[in-house]
Amino acid sequence: MPTPNLPWYKRLAEAVSTLSMGVVFVLFIYGVGMRYLLNRPVSWTDEAVTVLMVWSVLWTGAFVLRWSEHISFDIVFVNLAPKRQRLMLLVRQHCLRRFDARRFARYGGLHPVPLA
Protein backbone atom coordinates (compact mmCIF):
# COMPACT_ATOMS: atom_id res chain seq x y z
CA MET A 1 0.00 0.00 0.00
CA PRO A 2 1.62 3.29 -1.05
CA THR A 3 2.12 5.89 1.60
CA PRO A 4 1.32 9.39 0.30
CA ASN A 5 3.39 11.22 2.94
CA LEU A 6 6.69 9.99 1.52
CA PRO A 7 8.84 12.16 -0.76
CA TRP A 8 8.62 11.48 -4.50
CA TYR A 9 11.95 9.63 -4.66
CA LYS A 10 10.91 7.18 -1.92
CA ARG A 11 7.61 6.53 -3.70
CA LEU A 12 9.57 5.99 -6.93
CA ALA A 13 11.87 3.49 -5.17
CA GLU A 14 8.82 1.63 -3.82
CA ALA A 15 7.25 1.60 -7.29
CA VAL A 16 10.43 0.23 -8.90
CA SER A 17 10.65 -2.44 -6.20
CA THR A 18 7.01 -3.44 -6.62
CA LEU A 19 7.24 -3.47 -10.41
CA SER A 20 10.41 -5.58 -10.43
CA MET A 21 8.91 -8.15 -8.06
CA GLY A 22 5.80 -8.27 -10.24
CA VAL A 23 7.96 -8.89 -13.32
CA VAL A 24 9.76 -11.68 -11.46
CA PHE A 25 6.41 -13.30 -10.67
CA VAL A 26 5.11 -12.99 -14.24
CA LEU A 27 8.35 -14.35 -15.75
CA PHE A 28 8.36 -17.25 -13.31
CA ILE A 29 4.76 -18.20 -14.13
CA TYR A 30 5.51 -17.80 -17.85
CA GLY A 31 8.53 -20.11 -17.58
CA VAL A 32 6.61 -22.76 -15.65
CA GLY A 33 3.67 -22.56 -18.04
CA MET A 34 5.85 -22.87 -21.12
CA ARG A 35 7.78 -25.80 -19.65
CA TYR A 36 4.99 -27.90 -18.15
CA LEU A 37 1.81 -26.85 -19.94
CA LEU A 38 3.04 -26.31 -23.49
CA ASN A 39 6.11 -28.56 -23.30
CA ARG A 40 8.25 -25.82 -24.87
CA PRO A 41 10.78 -24.71 -22.24
CA VAL A 42 12.24 -21.23 -22.54
CA SER A 43 15.73 -21.15 -21.04
CA TRP A 44 16.16 -17.39 -20.67
CA THR A 45 13.37 -17.07 -18.09
CA ASP A 46 15.41 -18.91 -15.44
CA GLU A 47 18.32 -16.51 -15.84
CA ALA A 48 16.07 -13.46 -16.02
CA VAL A 49 14.17 -14.44 -12.88
CA THR A 50 17.39 -15.12 -10.97
CA VAL A 51 19.10 -11.87 -11.92
CA LEU A 52 16.00 -9.73 -11.50
CA MET A 53 15.20 -11.30 -8.12
CA VAL A 54 18.71 -10.59 -6.81
CA TRP A 55 18.59 -6.99 -8.01
CA SER A 56 15.07 -6.53 -6.66
CA VAL A 57 16.14 -7.66 -3.21
CA LEU A 58 19.24 -5.45 -3.28
CA TRP A 59 17.21 -2.44 -4.50
CA THR A 60 14.55 -2.94 -1.86
CA GLY A 61 17.09 -3.40 0.91
CA ALA A 62 19.02 -0.31 -0.12
CA PHE A 63 16.29 2.18 -1.01
CA VAL A 64 12.94 1.04 0.37
CA LEU A 65 13.42 -0.60 3.78
CA ARG A 66 14.21 1.43 6.85
CA TRP A 67 17.03 0.23 9.07
CA SER A 68 14.56 -1.11 11.65
CA GLU A 69 12.82 -3.22 8.97
CA HIS A 70 15.93 -5.17 7.99
CA ILE A 71 16.14 -8.76 9.18
CA SER A 72 18.65 -9.09 11.96
CA PHE A 73 19.68 -11.58 14.59
CA ASP A 74 20.15 -9.37 17.61
CA ILE A 75 19.18 -11.57 20.54
CA VAL A 76 22.51 -10.93 22.26
CA PHE A 77 22.92 -7.34 21.07
CA VAL A 78 19.63 -5.95 22.43
CA ASN A 79 20.29 -7.48 25.86
CA LEU A 80 23.63 -5.70 26.28
CA ALA A 81 24.21 -2.42 28.06
CA PRO A 82 24.61 0.59 25.71
CA LYS A 83 28.40 0.72 26.28
CA ARG A 84 28.73 -2.96 25.38
CA GLN A 85 26.57 -2.40 22.29
CA ARG A 86 28.92 0.37 21.16
CA LEU A 87 31.91 -1.88 21.75
CA MET A 88 30.28 -4.66 19.75
CA LEU A 89 29.61 -2.26 16.86
CA LEU A 90 33.20 -1.03 16.93
CA VAL A 91 34.55 -4.60 16.82
CA ARG A 92 32.24 -5.40 13.90
CA GLN A 93 33.39 -2.33 11.98
CA HIS A 94 37.03 -3.16 12.67
CA CYS A 95 36.57 -6.72 11.36
CA LEU A 96 34.77 -5.52 8.22
CA ARG A 97 37.47 -2.96 7.46
CA ARG A 98 40.22 -5.55 7.91
CA PHE A 99 38.35 -7.90 5.59
CA ASP A 100 38.03 -5.15 2.97
CA ALA A 101 41.69 -4.19 3.32
CA ARG A 102 42.81 -7.80 2.85
CA ARG A 103 40.51 -8.24 -0.13
CA PHE A 104 41.82 -5.10 -1.84
CA ALA A 105 45.42 -5.98 -0.99
CA ARG A 106 45.04 -9.47 -2.42
CA TYR A 107 43.08 -8.62 -5.55
CA GLY A 108 44.38 -5.09 -6.10
CA GLY A 109 41.05 -3.30 -5.96
CA LEU A 110 38.22 -3.46 -8.43
CA HIS A 111 38.93 -4.69 -11.95
CA PRO A 112 36.40 -4.43 -14.75
CA VAL A 113 35.61 -7.65 -16.53
CA PRO A 114 36.47 -7.49 -20.25
CA LEU A 115 33.43 -7.93 -22.48
CA ALA A 116 35.20 -9.53 -25.43
Side-chain angles (χ1 to χ4, degrees), residues 48-110:
V49 165
T50 302
V51 170
L52 191 57
M53 184 66 186
V54 168
W55 280 105
S56 297
V57 168
L58 292 174
W59 176 273
T60 303
F63 299 117
V64 177
L65 294 178
R66 292 186 300 264
W67 180 255
S68 62
E69 294 173 330
H70 283 269
I71 296 172
S72 63
F73 300 97
D74 57 359
I75 295 169
V76 174
F77 185 78
V78 295
N79 291 317
L80 293 175
K83 285 186 179 183
R84 299 270 185 194
Q85 287 180 351
R86 261 184 260 123
L87 177 65
M88 196 172 184
L89 290 173
L90 285 171
V91 169
R92 183 193 68 179
Q93 282 301 108
H94 175 73
C95 291
L96 288 174
R97 288 191 177 146
R98 284 190 56 115
F99 172 76
D100 283 343
R102 286 184 181 181
R103 182 171 47 105
F104 281 116
R106 180 174 180 156
Y107 298 111
L110 300 174

Side-chain angles (χ1 to χ4, degrees), residues 23-29 44-54:
V23 171
V24 165
F25 177 75
V26 168
L27 284 176
F28 180 76
I29 296 300
W44 62 268
T45 57
D46 295 336
E47 294 294 326
V49 165
T50 302
V51 170
L52 191 57
M53 184 66 186
V54 168

